[in-house]
Each structure stands twice: as C-alpha cells, then as structure tokens.
Amino acid sequence: MNPTAPAAAVLAGDQGEGRRRESEQQRLRLWTSESHDAWLRLLGDALRLRPCAAGSSAGPGGDASTAAPDGLKKLSILIESLLAARGFTVRRISPDPLQYPLAASADILVATRPPRRDGAVCSDGHWVGLIGHYDVETVDHGWSEGPPSNGWSTPDPWTPTERDGRVYARGVADNLGPLLQRILLIPPEDAAQRDGAGAATPPSTAQQLANTAPGLLWLLHGEEETAGRFPYAVYPALAADPSHPRPLLWLEETGYFATRDGVAGPQRVLAMPPVGGACETSGVLPAVLDAVAAAGAAGGLVVEERYLNKAFGTAACPGLTHVVGPERAEGRAAYIAIGPNDKMANIHGVDESLRLDCLAVAAEQFAAVLEAVAKC
C-alpha cells in the first residue's frame, strides 16, 4: 500500500461543512463506547486464533512459528456465524487440499444480504460489493512473548492493547480491525439480539440498515498475505456467474488519514469511476464521495483515481483482477477504498495499530456509503 501517489482531487474547505459539523455531533451516537468495547472483544477473540499461514509476506523478519493455519479455518467459521446472524446467506468454498495444500484452511466466503426498502426485502434495489480478507501477517521476531524488545512497545501482538488513543495488535489495521467493525455495524436480523461477541449495533445504524439499505455482496478469502492461488481459481467463475448480484459500487479497505500534531488530518480516499451502462449513469460515485466527505474528518478528503496497492502488486489481487476491474457488458462498477488507517498504522511492521478517533470516523463513513447507494 502506497500512501504517496499523486492526488487526483481534493474535497475540503467548505464542501459539506455543515453536514460535517452535524456528523461530528452524531458520531458519538454511531460508534458508541459499547460499540467499541464489542469490537475490541471480538478483535481479541479473532487474534487469539492466530489466523495466519506460514510463508506470509513480511520478509526475513517474519516468524513462521507464529503461523496457525487452523486459526484461519476457525476465524472463517466465526465470521460466517456473524454474517448469518445479520441476514447474510453465506456460501463456503473450500479448496481441494491435494491441489492447494497451502490453502487447506483458507476457505472463501461468498455472503449475500438482499436489499431492503421500508423494512422489507426488495428485488430491485442497488447492490454494494465488498472485497477483503481475514488472514493476517505473521509476527516479526522482535515482538516477543514477554517484556517489550527490539522496537515493540507491547508484550503480546495477539492481544489488543489500548494506549494513547490507539489500539496495537498484529492485524488490527490489515485487516481484521476494519473488517470486524463493518460486520458489527450491520444489525442482527433480530434488532434486540446480541451475538456471541456481545455486540449491540448502534440504534441509528440498526434503524437505517433494517429499513432501507442496498444489497451487500461480500467476498472474503484467507490468502492475501501469502498470495495464495486458490482465489484466482474461484473468483473468475464468481464474476462470470450470471446469478450473482452486480454491484453498483465496490468498497474496499482502506484509505489513510494524515496525522499532524497528534490530530487526524486530511483523509486519502481511492476511487475509480464507473464505466458504461447503468453503473455510469447512476451518479453513484459523486453521491458516495459527497457522503464520505460529509462524514469525514475536518481536514477533508484527498481523492486519488486508482485502485489500492497491494503487497504483491495490484495485478496480484484476485478481487481487483477478476471481480472489480474488468469491464463487462453491463459496465464496470464504481470503486472506492476507505478505512481507519493512518500513516502510523505500520502495516506488516512492529507496533501495528489503529487510531481510535479514525475508527469512529470510519464507522460513520461506512454507514454513509450504504445510505448513499440505497438512494441512487
């Protein structure tokens, strides 16, 4: 991921300023202390499984002894149960262990939640696609089981540690923190229900997503950090399947917040316009960018017209290569990457972390994107 690419546009100053001030007041209600605590508990549960495979991409410092392929399977089961409780139909695609021995525990999850209008499922609503992964990087040798050493400031990377407005843990920024937050922001089908993580969706979000919301198609795999081959065998078939929903917008993690003098500054957002067909005429991308700007940090947005860079290169990402990027007969959907990371997140490095106030902004922006697409 490269935060230094040239900016294509800047959304700042007075654009959406009134809505932004209103959003600042609403944010405390959207991402409450109860929401945060539920997220932190769920993150801890997920990291205790150590969902990473040997051969991850950290380089010479990567410690294969911290890999736990079994943890990938267990985490995918946990995620499947969380999504099912939120009205998703989840299809699990498992690799043939003889053909893909390194991916034996890295199942692909294809989850769909139909559009809602006025509290009821509808067949003609728009769809948002989400692509992501649930595996995390292995831990460098410098993060030891014991007193901090070799640059690490917390003793255990697999236990989330809050300090000075940040949460430190392996995988908190890439990508379990954003992934689990988005799942928790979608209410269970029973509004009063609490899932195994003890999470309660904030009332404002629950009301919005239960009454009127776009359909959600969520593709998750467990081989991002190893550049495994199994997703490359599955994703082209998924993309070509005429029975699958055709999203108006694809949403990915993550943009970056600039941090200045300890304060979150302008947010970098990646976006690609739609091409052809109903995708191009819908006006979805301007509507979504306006919603993100209004829900964002006071420093505004820096919008870059490109896809998210990957550790192995954009061309090596199965979601971007086979699902999001290709132009089809019906057109190519719009794309946006937003999330809570900042330039201190230190993905794949020591002291990987997320800034808590950026996490709160990300919650509001996720809800704003879904609301904007539902209205297109």
Side-chain angles (χ1 to χ4, degrees), residues 100-119:
Y100 300 98
L102 296 180
S105 300
D107 294 346
I108 290 172
L109 302 181
V110 182
T112 54
R113 182 183 190 265
R116 312 292 171 99
R117 184 179 298 122
D118 299 325

Side-chain angles (χ1 to χ4, degrees), residues 99-323:
Q99 189 174 3
Y100 300 98
L102 296 180
S105 300
D107 294 346
I108 290 172
L109 302 181
V110 182
T112 54
R113 182 183 190 265
R116 312 292 171 99
R117 184 179 298 122
D118 299 325
V121 171
C122 64
S123 60
D124 59 347
H126 296 313
W127 285 77
V128 171
L130 299 102
I131 55 173
H133 63 98
Y134 57 85
D135 61 320
V136 305
E137 189 56 86
T138 53
V139 172
D140 291 352
H141 293 293
W143 202 336
S144 61
E145 303 286 342
S149 63
N150 298 334
W152 293 106
S153 64
T154 61
D156 180 10
W158 304 108
T159 301
T161 300
E162 285 192 63
R163 189 183 69 244
D164 300 328
R166 305 188 71 89
V167 175
Y168 295 83
R170 170 55 86 228
V172 65
D174 183 22
N175 173 56
L176 285 184
L179 171 61
L180 296 177
Q181 181 190 56
R182 289 177 177 181
I183 291 175
L184 290 181
L185 283 168
I186 299 169
E189 288 294 270
D190 178 354
Q193 175 187 350
R194 290 171 177 268
D195 56 42
T201 306
S204 57
T205 311
Q207 183 177 8
Q208 171 199 321
L209 290 174
N211 290 336
T212 300
L216 299 176
L217 167 63
W218 215 323
L219 304 182
L220 292 166
H221 71 92
E223 293 189 276
E224 177 81 6
E225 308 303 353
T226 56
R229 306 314 300 170
F230 182 53
Y232 293 89
V234 173
Y235 278 25
L238 293 178
D241 186 347
S243 68
H244 267 268
R246 297 302 183 201
L248 201 60
L249 175 81
W250 283 100
L251 178 62
E252 190 176 17
E253 85 292 339
T254 180
Y256 275 87
F257 289 87
T259 301
R260 297 177 299 190
D261 300 324
V263 178
Q267 180 184 8
R268 186 199 67 178
V269 172
L270 309 181
M272 289 292 287
V275 177
C279 294
E280 188 168 350
T281 60
S282 66
V284 64
L285 190 58
V288 163
L289 287 174
D290 181 62
V292 170
L301 307 183
V302 176
V303 182
E304 301 177 17
E305 191 172 305
R306 64 180 180 86
Y307 293 116
L308 180 65
N309 291 341
K310 304 287 183 171
F312 295 99
T314 299
C317 173
L320 294 179
T321 302
H322 296 297
V323 179

Side-chain angles (χ1 to χ4, degrees), residues 75-109:
L75 180 55
S76 72
I77 292 170
L78 173 60
I79 290 172
E80 180 179 6
S81 69
L82 291 168
L83 291 172
R86 287 159 171 79
F88 285 85
T89 299
V90 184
R91 176 186 173 198
R92 176 180 292 270
I93 305 175
S94 301
D96 180 342
L98 296 179
Q99 189 174 3
Y100 300 98
L102 296 180
S105 300
D107 294 346
I108 290 172
L109 302 181

